């Protein structure tokens, strides 16, 4: 370098220590300034160029119009290029005229000139690629300014010293250059306008991150506006920003799906090759001998999808890791500076400044790393939810039996969340070894081979921790199984809660849930104890490493003196070592849990899917709509065939009836036509679009209109026709919101007949080519069935001319069909027209003989009622006899109005004819105006997010659940632990200040012994506090779950009718998971960071009392940041919780209706709907992630100021401080940044997670029914003996404030009488039944059964002695015996007698397990 500067005006020296270091007025040599210093910005830009060009090439954001700002930037770039060339030409001019300029005067202007030209071209290229704020160029201009400041000062000092300017031309050009680069830097901080056609121009509320400048992005300043808004008032959904395109579900899920499909293709490659010869006739045995192919790896698919984010995060982490080792080196120099009274004072100030700059750079880069990783984690969760949802739409029926809805919800909620939780720790896999290696290297420099003693401790502890983690993994797998079982059982309980209440079966199911929960908590306790041991190991590891390393160092050689530099630089290096070692348990625990989740998700994604090619959709015989050739079908490949050797040809436009006895395979035939069954042999062809009406109507939780339209655009004429023909117009008048009435989950606020007619209207509106109708008339009364057949299905109905396949038991409709298919035992026994089949005395004739008596009776009833058909249609419309829950007050009110109208019309003597009906409708429309419709149309209440501070009562509730003594004991243990830690470090400080005698320190063994004792005591306190927390946390988890479970089981039926099951399940899954596994570690981390922060302030103030001056302003700033952050993040977390429930509710609904969704071809629409719900959840999660980064940058700024001032005051008070105290003070300050950040983070996390307790408590305090048993007033044994029922002046209302449903009812029924209850709709027939079971409680009056007032005994004493046959059969997963006799009260003989009476004994006897036959959820394996 000296040669470049030559021997002329610059002199030949590149570096001069006397000029730069050992002086009170430091400066750099002119050679250094004109060479390396001027080249630094150029080297940076050329080094960054390849990567930046690659980024720009792959990220086109649009085109920015040439603006004044862009023109100014370009002009400055050109001017700087000109200045550089002027300098170069001046050097050539000097060379021509005899002076010999140094080579650097040619090289530097040339390099700078080319770099300025490159920067100018980059400005324009960025504009063309849509870059509004360039971080690369901002850093370049900043480096130019910084590198020019030193020559700026030097030239002025030189001119003042010499009294004249030695080189006026270069002096002038330099200051012009400085002014231009300063202007270029300032202009680069301003942003360009958005690109043309940018999404930001269309978005009403875009995320400000996209348009933020470089420094705003670096410091997360763009989030400040939302933080202020959240502080001023609770945030609402409308305040949240829209998602960027790359974060949206449809993009992210598609990327993962493509990667997963590649994995599947690679895994099935050999298998496909093996199957090809089979077609040519190769023996099947040869194929079986082939080795199994490997399963596709979901982990590889994830890595390939998110590689770029992983690499970006890894780059930031690498830079941050390297920067973290700068401060210990600066501390080493600072201690040497304090020890040397002759050192220039500016050294100390420079060191303090460098420490601050280094810490600030660490902060900025670390949070860029975290932002990158957390956004990636959010995308991973989104992608996993999307992939699971899409898989659930395609799984076969056999897989559906294996995976219940609860288990699939768990995959989406708990397992997907685990991937999100572990993502921030992923980089520790390589970062932790790197930090350990670097720390050991620097320790070797200080302590020599003694550092290896510490390494040995780390290596020895790895297998111990490995054994602990393996055991934890085992517990985790078992615990997840119990969790799945518990959620599955809770899902079944919620689905069948009405049956449980009517049969008084709650205790046995309560016992089952509590049994599973007990097993789950036992495993949780074992796992938590192992976690506590793991924490103890890793908390003690850094101390043990320090102790053993320093102990070995002072013991191996008496001449090894432990001074302040060695002790505290080693300590700061060990503190760096402590971070990855402390995070390793979380990484191991997270990786353990995630590996379990990965396997579960991978297993689910590898399950069999329905074959889309099972049914041929394109080619078919001319004139045919449906053909089956030699078709054999089964519900699962491992089950025997359900349908055998079917040969069917259905012409276009035909009406075909499918009849046969129960269980012969009629519904299975429809499922086979839909492609829902496994096709073992044959060919199926269905030409045209399909509409499907299942036997049990599938109704969505949305408005009635949306249920009918089912995603199709509104056609008013067709819509009106569908409602009219399906007899739904009267329903619209009765329902509180008309066709905008929200239908509850599973159609809870509609009767069975209404649900079926809505399902039929959906099919009619679809205007499909083929209609598959699976016994749609069974759920409606005979007169309504006749109306629907005539108006919809029959030859004169709206579907005339369409191909219709009707599964039915209604004989009266069969003569009007084109032909009939008769099934028996899964085979077609007869097929032909009604008249043809009558002539044969075959299975059709048997079918007629079995069903004719009922049919004739129904037909006679139909004749008698024909005159009243319109009113009877209304009766069916208004009736809820199928659902013994008249829970909706608005419906009740409208019914009351309707009955009054009918009564008045009858009294006027107008009769029950069409004009009267019209009059009724119009008057009702007047009674229910549109404004009321909006208020009463919604059945399901929106889940409301709490606002403001989490109430102290919530913390108090959790503290009481943990145990107040336990809580206090944990606080004291942590205080003791930190006091001991301070004592150990103060002792170390005093040790380093021990006077040396003959190059040795005395009392080394005493010093070492006390230091070891204090360290061991600290470790014991850590373990004791962790164990105490485990005991308290498990107790709290048990108590909170028990309270929630008992309250929900005892909640009234009306609560379940108006609350989606997904919302309740969310409490039992996600919120209980938080209480079980998240709250306790969060509280421990809060205690840890709080006490560490307090310890740091105490130590620094004790060491340098002057620090008190800055404590107050820093504390005020810290407090402001904390208040802004906590208010905002808390509300974001609440909004996130509320937006999460709809994802799972929608998923549960989708899984139950997959066959309908597939039949109508709406799979894609439902994917979009699910993605929209996930995106809505992401909209709340993304700002929450950003809020943590915003907090981190601002709080760590406070920590960096603590480092700056502790070093600064140490420099100022250097004469009164010893090196030991300075080392202690600054080494503590270097830790405080992390502690301050974690204190707010964990405080906020605690507040965010304690919301789980708030939500669980909310549902633990809902209104409950009367007590199950009143010990003071039990029913007599054997009651009721005769069954005398008496109502005395009995009145009842649905809810307080509503009109009475039954008014002053008095009646007496003798024992053994068979009583029919009749009356118009709304008269209170169903209500009477509900009152007997005390589902509704009396407003006044009494009910007596055998002389006993039912209100005076417990609900179970009453309900267990009454029985009811509900309309909708509910079966629970478990044995058949459990479903019949959950309490185990009856003998096998009693159960078999019941089965015989129910005509089920033949079926049960045919099962190998008999009464222990396992029923699947909902009884799906019983048909």
């Amino acid at each position: 370098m000296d040669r470049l500067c030559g021997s002329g005006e610059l002199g030949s020296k590149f570096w001069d220590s006397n000029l730069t270091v050992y002086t009170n007025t430091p400066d750099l040599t002119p050679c250094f300034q004109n060479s390396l210093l001027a080249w630094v910005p150029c080297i940076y830009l050329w080094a960054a160029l390849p990567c930046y060009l690659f980024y720009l090439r792959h990220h086109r954001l649009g085109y920015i119009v040439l603006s004044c700002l862009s023109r100014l930037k370009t002009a400055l770039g050109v001017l700087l290029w000109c200045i550089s060339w002027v300098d170069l030409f001046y050097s050539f001019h000097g060379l021509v005229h005899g002076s010999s300029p140094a080579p650097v005067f040619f090289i530097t202007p040339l390099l700078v000139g080319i770099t300025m030209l490159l920067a100018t071209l980059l400005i324009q290229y960025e504009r063309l690629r849509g870059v509004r704020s360039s971080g690369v160029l901002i850093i370049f201009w900043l480096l130019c300014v910084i590198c020019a400041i030193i020559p700026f000062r030097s030239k002025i000092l030189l001119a003042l010293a010499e009294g004249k300017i030695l080189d006026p031309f270069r002096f002038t050009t330099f200051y012009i250059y400085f002014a231009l680069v300063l202007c270029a830097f300032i202009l680069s901080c301003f942003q360009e306008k958005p690109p043309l056609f940018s999404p930001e121009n269309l978005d009403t509320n875009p995320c400000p991150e996209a348009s933020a400048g470089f420094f705003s992005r670096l410091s997360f300043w763009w989030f400040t506006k939302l933080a202020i808004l959240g502080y001023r008032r609770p945030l609402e959904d409308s305040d949240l920003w829209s998602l960027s395109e790359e974060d949206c579900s449809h993009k992210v899920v598609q990327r993962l799906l493509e990667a997963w499909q590649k994995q599947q293709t690679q895994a099935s490659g050999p298998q496909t090759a093996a199957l090809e010869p089979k077609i040519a006739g190769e023996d099947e045995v040869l194929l079986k001998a082939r080795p199994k192919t490997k399963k596709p790896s979901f982990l590889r698919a994830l890595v390939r999808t998110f590689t770029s984010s992983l690499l970006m995060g890894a780059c930031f982490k690498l830079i941050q890791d390297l920067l973290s080792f700068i401060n210990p080196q600066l501390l080493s120099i600072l201690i040497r500076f304090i020890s040397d009274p002759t050192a220039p004072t500016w050294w100390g100030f420079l060191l303090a400044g460098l420490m601050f700059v280094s810490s600030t750079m660490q902060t900025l880069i670390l949070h860029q790393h975290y932002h990158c990783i957390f956004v990636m984690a959010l995308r991973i969760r989104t992608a996993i939810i999307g992939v699971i949802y899409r898989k659930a739409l395609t799984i076969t029926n056999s897989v559906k039996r294996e995976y219940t809805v609860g288990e699939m919800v768990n995959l989406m909620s708990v397992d997907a969340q685990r991937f999100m939780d572990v993502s921030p720790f992923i980089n520790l896999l390589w970062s932790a070894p790197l930090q350990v290696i670097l720390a050991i290297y620097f320790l070797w420099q200080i302590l020599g081979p003694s550092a290896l003693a510490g390494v040995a401790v780390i290596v020895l502890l790895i297998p111990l921790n490995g054994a602990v983690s393996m055991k934890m993994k085992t517990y985790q797998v078992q615990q997840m199984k119990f969790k799945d079982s518990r959620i599955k059982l809770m899902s079944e309980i919620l689905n069948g809660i009405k049956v449980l209440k009517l049969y008084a079966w709650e205790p046995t199911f309560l016992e089952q849930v509590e049994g599973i929960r007990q097993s789950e908590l036992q495993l949780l306790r074992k796992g938590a104890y192992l976690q506590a041991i793991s924490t103890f190991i890793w908390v003690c590891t850094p101390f043990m490493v320090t102790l053993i390393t320093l102990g070995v160092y002072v013991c191996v050689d008496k001449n090894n003196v432990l001074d302040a530099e060695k002790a505290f630089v080693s300590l700061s290096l060990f503190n760096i070592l402590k971070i990855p070692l402390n995070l390793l348990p979380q990484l191991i625990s997270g990786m353990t849990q995630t590996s379990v989740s990965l396997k579960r998700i991978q297993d689910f994604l590898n399950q069999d899917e329905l074959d889309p090619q099972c049914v041929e959709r394109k080619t078919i015989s001319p004139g045919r709509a449906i053909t089956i050739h030699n078709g054999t079908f089964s519900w699962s490949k491992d089950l025997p065939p359900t349908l055998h050797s079917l040969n069917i040809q259905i012409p276009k436009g035909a009406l075909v009836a499918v009849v046969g006895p129960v269980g012969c395979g009629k519904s299975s035939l429809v499922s086979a036509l839909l492609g829902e069954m496994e096709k073992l042999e044959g060919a199926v062809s269905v030409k045209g679009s399909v509409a499907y009406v299942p036997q049990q109507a599938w109704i969505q939780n949305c408005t009635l209109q949306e249920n009918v339209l089912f995603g199709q655009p509104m056609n008013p004429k067709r819509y009106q026709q569908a409602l009219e023909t399906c007899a739904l117009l009267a329903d619209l008048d009765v329902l509180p919101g008309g066709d905008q009435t929200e239908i509850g989950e599973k159609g809870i606020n509609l009767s069975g007949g209404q649900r079926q007619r809505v399902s039929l209207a959906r099919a009619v509106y679809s205007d499909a080519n083929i209609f598959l109708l699976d016994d749609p008339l069974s759920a409606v009364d005979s007169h309504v069935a006749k109306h629907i057949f005539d108006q919809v299905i029959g030859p004169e109905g709206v579907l005339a001319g369409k191909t219709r396949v009707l599964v039915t038991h209604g004989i009266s409709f069969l003569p009007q069909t084109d032909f009939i298919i008769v099934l028996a035992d899964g085979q077609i026994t007869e097929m032909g027209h009604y008249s043809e089949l009558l002539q044969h005395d075959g299975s059709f004739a048997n079918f007629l003989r079995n069903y004719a008596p009922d049919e004739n009776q129904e037909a006679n009833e139909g004749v008698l009622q024909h005159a009243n058909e319109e009113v009877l249609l209304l009766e069916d419309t208004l009736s809820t006899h199928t659902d013994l829950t008249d829970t909706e007050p608005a419906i009740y009110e409208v019914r009351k109005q309707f009955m009054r109208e009918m009564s008045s019309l009858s009294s006027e003597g107008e009769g029950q004819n069409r004009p009267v009906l019209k009059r009724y409708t119009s008057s009702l429309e007047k009674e229910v105006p549109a404004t009321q419709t909006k208020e009463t149309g919604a059945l399901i209440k929106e889940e409301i997010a709490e606002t403001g501070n989490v109430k102290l009562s919530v913390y108090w509730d959790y503290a009481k659940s943990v145990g107040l003594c336990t809580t206090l004991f944990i606080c004291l243990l942590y205080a003791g632990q930190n006091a001991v830690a301070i004592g150990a470090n103060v002792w170390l400080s005093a040790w380093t200040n021990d006077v040396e005698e003959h190059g040795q320190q005395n009392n080394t063994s005493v010093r070492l012994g006390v230091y070891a004792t204090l360290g061991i005591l600290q470790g014991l306190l850590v373990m004791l506090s962790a164990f105490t927390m485990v005991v308290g946390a498990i107790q709290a988890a048990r108590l909170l779950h028990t309270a929630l479970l008992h309250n929900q089981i005892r909640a009234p039926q009306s609560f379940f009718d108006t609350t989606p099951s997904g919302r309740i399940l969310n409490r039992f899954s996600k919120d209980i998971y938080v209480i079980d596994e998240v709250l306790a570690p969060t509280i421990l981390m809060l205690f840890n960071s709080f006490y560490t922060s307090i310890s740091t302030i105490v130590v620094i103030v004790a060491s340098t009392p002057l620090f008190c001056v800055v404590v107050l302003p820093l504390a005020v700033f810290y407090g402001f940041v904390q208040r802004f952050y906590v208010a905002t993040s808390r509300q974001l977390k609440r909004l996130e919780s509320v937006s999460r429930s709809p994802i799972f509710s929608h998923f549960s609904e989708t899984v139950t209706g997959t066959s309908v969704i597939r039949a109508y071809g709406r799979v894609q629409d439902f994917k979009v709907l699910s993605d929209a719900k996930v995106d809505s959840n992401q909209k709340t999660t993304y700002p929450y992630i950003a809020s943590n980064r915003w907090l981190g940058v601002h709080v760590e700024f406070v920590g960096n100021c603590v480092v700056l001032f502790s070093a600064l005051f140490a420099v100022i008070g250097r004469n009164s401080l010893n090196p030991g105290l300075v080392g202690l003070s600054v080494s503590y300050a270097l830790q405080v940044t992390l502690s301050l950040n974690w204190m707010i983070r964990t405080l906020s996390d605690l507040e965010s997670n304690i919301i789980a307790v708030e939500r669980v408590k909310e549902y633990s305090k809902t209104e409950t029914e009367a007590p199950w048993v009143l010990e003071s007033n039990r029913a007599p044994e054997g009651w009721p003996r005769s069954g005398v029922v008496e109502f005395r002046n009995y009145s009842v209302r649905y809810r307080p404030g509503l009109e009475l449903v039954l008014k002053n009812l008095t009646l007496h029924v003798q024992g053994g009488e068979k009583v029919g209850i009749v009356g118009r709709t709304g008269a209170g027939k169903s209500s009477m039944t509900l009152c007997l079971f005390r589902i509704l409680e009396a407003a006044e009056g009494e009910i007596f059964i055998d002389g006993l007032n039912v209100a005076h005994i417990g609900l179970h004493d009453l309900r267990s002695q009454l029985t009811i046959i509900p309309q909708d059969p509910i079966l629970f997963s478990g044995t058949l015996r459990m479903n019949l006799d959950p309490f185990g009260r009856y003998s096998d003989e009693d159960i078999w007698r019941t089965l015989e009476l129910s005509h089920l004994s033949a079926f049960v006897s045919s099962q190998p397990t008999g009464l222990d036959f396992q029923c699947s959820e909902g009884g799906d394996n019983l048909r």
Side-chain angles (χ1 to χ4, degrees), residues 505-570:
W505 281 1
E506 298 103 323
T508 183
F509 282 86
L510 198 63
E511 199 177 302
Q512 284 183 52
V513 175
E514 287 184 329
I516 296 169
R517 179 66 177 164
Q518 191 59 39
S519 304
E520 189 183 350
L521 286 177
Q522 279 178 357
L523 285 171
L524 198 64
R525 185 181 288 109
K526 289 176 184 175
Y529 282 143
L530 284 177
Q531 185 73 47
I533 292 167
S534 182
T535 304
F536 166 72
I537 292 168
W538 292 108
V539 165
C540 291
T541 297
F543 176 81
M544 286 172 68
V545 170
T546 309
L547 172 68
I548 289 169
T549 307
L550 296 180
V552 169
Y553 177 73
V554 296
C555 291
V556 291
D557 189 346
K558 289 185 178 180
N559 294 320
N560 283 347
V561 174
L562 189 68
D563 57 22
E565 183 186 347
K566 286 172 185 162
F568 288 105
V569 173
S570 299

Side-chain angles (χ1 to χ4, degrees), residues 50 102 232 386 467 637 708 794 923 1027 1242 1265 1310 1324 1363:
R232 285 179 177 164
K637 288 176 182 175
V708 173
S923 67
F1027 272 112
T1242 49
E1265 294 181 305
Q1310 292 298 333
T1363 193

Side-chain angles (χ1 to χ4, degrees), residues 905-1162:
L905 291 173
S906 299
S907 64
E908 289 168 17
E910 293 181 11
Q912 297 174 345
N913 50 28
R914 287 182 187 275
V916 172
L917 184 66
K918 286 177 183 172
R919 243 182 99 179
Y920 147 68
T921 306
S922 60
S923 67
L924 187 65
E925 283 168 0
K926 290 174 190 170
E927 292 290 335
V928 188
T931 52
Q932 190 180 340
T933 295
K934 287 179 184 176
E935 291 171 18
T936 57
L939 168 75
I940 305 299
K941 298 167 192 165
E942 286 291 325
E943 189 168 10
I944 298 164
E946 296 284 335
T947 56
N949 290 329
V950 176
K951 297 184 187 77
L952 284 174
S953 60
V954 179
Y955 293 101
W956 183 247
D957 283 336
Y958 187 71
K960 283 194 293 186
S961 302
V962 170
L964 296 176
C965 293
T966 309
T967 307
L968 184 63
F969 188 50
I970 292 164
C971 293
L972 293 173
L973 283 171
Y974 261 95
Q977 171 197 325
N978 279 273
V980 171
I982 291 174
N985 286 320
V986 169
W987 184 262
L988 185 64
S989 172
W991 183 0
T992 61
N993 292 325
D994 277 355
V995 180
E996 294 179 36
E997 292 180 11
H998 311 295
Q1000 297 177 359
Q1001 284 175 323
N1002 296 323
N1003 301 326
T1004 301
S1005 55
V1006 175
R1007 291 289 191 187
L1008 195 61
V1010 173
Y1011 187 65
T1013 306
L1014 289 169
I1016 291 164
L1017 181 59
Q1018 183 191 355
L1020 290 172
L1021 289 171
V1022 167
M1023 188 165 70
L1024 191 57
S1025 58
F1027 272 112
T1028 312
M1029 190 70 225
V1030 167
V1031 172
I1034 297 295
Q1035 180 181 321
R1038 181 175 54 78
L1039 291 174
L1040 289 168
H1041 180 271
T1042 303
L1044 175 67
L1045 177 65
H1046 281 252
N1047 187 274
Q1048 288 302 293
I1049 288 285
R1050 285 177 156 84
Q1053 181 62 40
S1054 57
F1055 174 79
F1056 298 101
D1057 293 344
T1058 56
T1059 309
S1061 58
R1063 198 178 292 174
I1064 302 171
L1065 265 184
N1066 208 356
R1067 264 74 175 176
F1068 281 99
S1069 58
K1070 179 69 178 177
D1071 292 321
I1072 289 294
Y1073 160 73
V1074 168
I1075 291 166
D1076 285 353
E1077 299 182 43
V1078 178
L1079 265 183
T1082 305
I1083 290 167
L1084 286 179
M1085 281 163 65
L1086 177 62
F1087 280 146
N1088 199 23
S1089 52
F1090 172 73
Y1091 282 111
T1092 305
S1093 303
I1094 296 298
S1095 303
T1096 303
I1097 301 301
V1098 168
V1099 167
I1100 296 173
V1101 169
S1103 305
T1104 50
L1106 196 57
F1107 187 76
C1108 291
V1109 177
V1110 295
V1111 166
L1112 188 62
L1114 288 177
V1116 168
F1117 178 74
Y1118 184 76
F1120 266 113
V1121 171
Q1122 187 262 348
R1123 290 182 69 186
F1124 277 103
Y1125 169 76
V1126 170
T1128 305
S1129 71
R1130 176 182 57 226
Q1131 195 60 20
L1132 286 171
K1133 194 74 175 172
R1134 279 173 171 160
L1135 289 171
E1136 192 274 331
S1137 293
V1138 170
S1139 65
R1140 195 190 320 122
S1141 296
I1143 297 172
F1144 308 128
S1145 292
H1146 173 70
F1147 179 64
S1148 302
E1149 187 176 81
T1150 302
V1151 171
T1152 54
T1154 44
S1155 56
V1156 176
I1157 294 165
R1158 285 194 290 261
Y1160 282 92
R1162 283 216 58 211

Side-chain angles (χ1 to χ4, degrees), residues 404-470:
T404 61
V405 176
E407 285 172 325
M408 286 189 269
V409 167
N410 249 1
L411 288 174
M412 288 179 88
S413 59
V414 178
D415 293 308
Q417 185 64 38
R418 286 216 166 115
F419 277 89
M420 191 170 179
D421 293 342
V422 83
S423 294
F425 303 108
I426 286 292
N427 282 309
L428 278 178
L429 290 171
W430 60 265
S431 170
L434 174 69
Q435 289 183 67
V436 169
I437 291 164
L438 286 172
I440 290 166
Y441 169 76
F442 287 116
L443 284 166
W444 183 284
Q445 302 294 315
I446 300 164
L447 303 172
S450 303
L452 292 176
V455 179
V457 174
I458 294 171
V459 171
L460 288 171
L461 286 172
I462 287 171
L464 176 61
N465 211 64
V468 170
S469 70
M470 288 300 289

Side-chain angles (χ1 to χ4, degrees), residues 1370-1412:
I1370 297 287
L1371 284 177
F1372 300 96
S1373 60
T1375 64
L1376 191 61
R1377 186 195 303 274
M1378 187 278 292
N1379 272 283
L1380 293 171
D1381 179 26
F1383 292 99
R1385 291 174 180 166
Y1386 301 100
S1387 64
D1388 283 8
E1389 290 77 12
D1390 293 334
I1391 295 172
W1392 278 108
R1393 195 176 307 114
T1394 307
L1395 290 171
E1396 282 172 21
L1397 292 170
S1398 307
H1399 303 288
L1400 279 170
S1401 57
F1403 166 74
V1404 179
S1405 302
S1406 67
Q1407 300 301 318
T1409 49
L1411 291 173
D1412 292 323

Side-chain angles (χ1 to χ4, degrees), residues 150-165:
I150 295 169
F152 185 95
R153 171 180 173 270
S154 298
K155 287 180 187 296
I156 292 171
L157 289 176
L158 182 65
L160 289 172
E162 295 289 333
K164 61 175 182 176
I165 297 168

